[in-house]
Amino acid sequence: MASETIRMYGTTWCQDCRRAKKFFGEHRVRYEFIDVDQDQEGLRIVEETNRGKRIIPTIFFPDGSVLVEPSNAELAATLGLKTSPDCPFYDLVIVGGGPAGLTAALYAAREGIETLVVERSGLGGQAGITERLDNFPGFPEGIGGAEFAERLVAQCRRFGVELLAAAEVTSISNDGQYRATRLASGEEVRSHAVLLAPGSTYRRLGVPGEEDFIGAGVHFCATCDGPFYRGQEVLVVGGGNSATEESLFLTRFASRVTIATRDAQLTASRVAQEKVLAHPHIAVRYRTTVQAFRGEGKLRAVVLKRLDTGAEEEVRPGGVFVFIGLQPNTAFLRGVVELNEWGFLATSPTLETSLPGVFAAGDARAGSTKQLVSATGEGATAALMVRQFLRAARETPRASEVERDATPHVPFARSS
């Protein structure tokens, strides 16, 4: 069955379908989803393909190939994503392919530093799945998040950066004078230095039913899942910049968007607030929290509570999008480098962590502003600090060709 579009046959309650949808969303891959609970022809195709069995997801690709219940590794291979390193040794390994990691890679590669970037999801990070960036300098009309990410990736490739996507780092360690980075595949690469830029992910509410309905009514990415709610009412939880910006994006599909925030007012920027409050298809419910999600297989209702009165109410949106803040992707680093009480990476003034030769930048670093422009700035700074570290160790191949930097290498001292 050949088609110009990837077609995924599945259901809203299938865990493997949710995982595949998340994978495609992270890698900005366009696809068509057919719910076989609602589409009899789709169910027939699944049964015909699987010799009478109802196995989902069943995914058809434009070249005619079909994957049934594929792993992320199989999806990556079919999409032609590079997931294994070419060499066992690099000057610099960067963990994380978001704006901080990619900017650092760009700066390092231009200095002749052999660089490998390892990203567990899609290159571009959170920026790549953001609908539009309106506050990045140099783009007066704004720029789409996907386009921004693609430009940055192309720029890295131009300077010879090796990029891995859908490849997860499981551990970092010192191996004598070198750093060892182990991947989930079992492969290990060594390097003179490592830059940690793993970024962060959206926090969850932690209320009853949330885990049950993730991908089946509860979402954390409007760009990925907003189109599934065309003509329906949706609920957005949160009152900050992400919540307001994604609410505005959701009005492209949803008939009405309701924002529920626990605060007495929105905490987003003034511009974002003005846009939301003036939009005819957005309503805001203040001092309101989510108590529970209910349904069978698919989300059917949400229990809301008014903090000022204690009154509870059951509402029935088509879907819920949660934007209540970020948590750092640093679980694999516990016990390896110093983290603060919230799990963010502690660094010295030169962005070096407590492990010599291992640096950090971007949203996962303690003290970072969690802004795109700051992440790119930290990435550039981190690359320069890595360059200085390599010079001090007399390991950089082209050190003699580069003008000496007056900035000294400063050992780790916890940042404020």
Side-chain angles (χ1 to χ4, degrees), residues 48-200:
E48 183 180 274
T49 303
N50 296 289
R51 299 180 180 180
K53 297 180 180 179
R54 299 182 179 182
I55 307 177
I56 52 175
T58 295
I59 306 174
F60 294 84
F61 292 84
D63 64 359
S65 61
V66 181
L67 291 180
V68 178
E69 286 186 314
S71 65
N72 282 359
E74 290 173 318
L75 287 171
T78 302
L79 292 172
L81 300 177
K82 181 177 172 57
T83 60
S84 295
D86 290 336
C87 304
F89 190 89
Y90 297 84
D91 291 324
L92 171 64
V93 171
I94 298 176
V95 182
L102 292 177
T103 302
L106 170 64
Y107 270 69
R110 291 184 72 248
E111 293 286 351
I113 298 171
E114 288 187 85
T115 303
L116 171 71
V117 173
V118 184
E119 167 56 50
R120 68 174 186 172
S121 300
L123 294 167
Q126 294 285 356
I129 57 173
T130 299
E131 169 61 15
R132 194 155 192 83
L133 306 171
D134 281 321
N135 60 350
F136 196 84
F139 297 94
E141 303 302 323
I143 183 173
E147 181 184 356
F148 177 84
E150 288 162 6
R151 287 188 178 196
L152 192 49
V153 167
Q155 198 171 11
C156 285
R157 287 189 170 131
R158 174 189 166 199
F159 288 101
V161 176
E162 186 177 337
L163 303 170
L164 305 185
E168 186 170 2
V169 172
T170 57
S171 68
I172 301 289
S173 62
N174 264 351
D175 181 14
Q177 68 185 99
Y178 305 117
R179 264 45 65 182
T181 302
R182 179 169 289 277
L183 307 183
S185 63
E187 297 170 284
E188 187 174 87
V189 293
R190 283 172 169 73
S191 59
H192 293 302
V194 169
L195 172 61
L196 301 172
S200 54

Side-chain angles (χ1 to χ4, degrees), residues 129-336:
I129 57 173
T130 299
E131 169 61 15
R132 194 155 192 83
L133 306 171
D134 281 321
N135 60 350
F136 196 84
F139 297 94
E141 303 302 323
I143 183 173
E147 181 184 356
F148 177 84
E150 288 162 6
R151 287 188 178 196
L152 192 49
V153 167
Q155 198 171 11
C156 285
R157 287 189 170 131
R158 174 189 166 199
F159 288 101
V161 176
E162 186 177 337
L163 303 170
L164 305 185
E168 186 170 2
V169 172
T170 57
S171 68
I172 301 289
S173 62
N174 264 351
D175 181 14
Q177 68 185 99
Y178 305 117
R179 264 45 65 182
T181 302
R182 179 169 289 277
L183 307 183
S185 63
E187 297 170 284
E188 187 174 87
V189 293
R190 283 172 169 73
S191 59
H192 293 302
V194 169
L195 172 61
L196 301 172
S200 54
T201 52
Y202 288 110
R203 293 185 182 278
R204 298 181 179 180
L205 293 165
V207 301
E210 183 177 30
E211 289 292 329
D212 298 332
F213 300 113
I214 291 177
V218 177
H219 309 277
F220 302 87
C221 175
T223 307
C224 307
D225 300 304
F228 294 117
Y229 295 96
R230 196 176 300 276
Q232 301 181 52
E233 295 188 13
V234 299
L235 175 70
V236 171
V237 183
N241 285 323
S242 293
T244 52
E245 290 166 5
E246 301 296 354
S247 293
L248 289 165
F249 170 69
L250 286 167
T251 59
R252 297 187 179 192
F253 313 102
S255 59
R256 186 170 182 80
V257 178
T258 299
I259 299 175
T261 175
R262 64 182 300 111
D263 297 310
Q265 61 184 15
L266 296 174
T267 57
S269 68
R270 179 178 296 180
V271 172
Q273 289 190 46
E274 290 174 350
K275 288 182 179 179
V276 162
L277 298 176
H279 202 288
H281 299 302
I282 299 179
V284 183
R285 297 183 61 156
Y286 302 102
R287 302 289 290 159
T288 301
T289 61
V290 173
Q291 296 298 293
F293 295 102
R294 295 174 178 171
E296 294 183 7
K298 184 177 181 179
L299 179 69
R300 300 298 180 190
V302 182
V303 178
L304 299 179
K305 179 180 180 180
R306 285 291 303 268
L307 294 178
D308 50 358
T309 65
E312 293 190 356
E313 175 188 0
E314 187 176 275
V315 297
R316 296 178 175 273
V320 178
F321 292 82
V322 180
F323 303 107
I324 56 170
L326 300 168
Q327 59 185 11
N329 299 322
T330 56
F332 72 103
L333 295 168
R334 292 191 180 280
V336 178

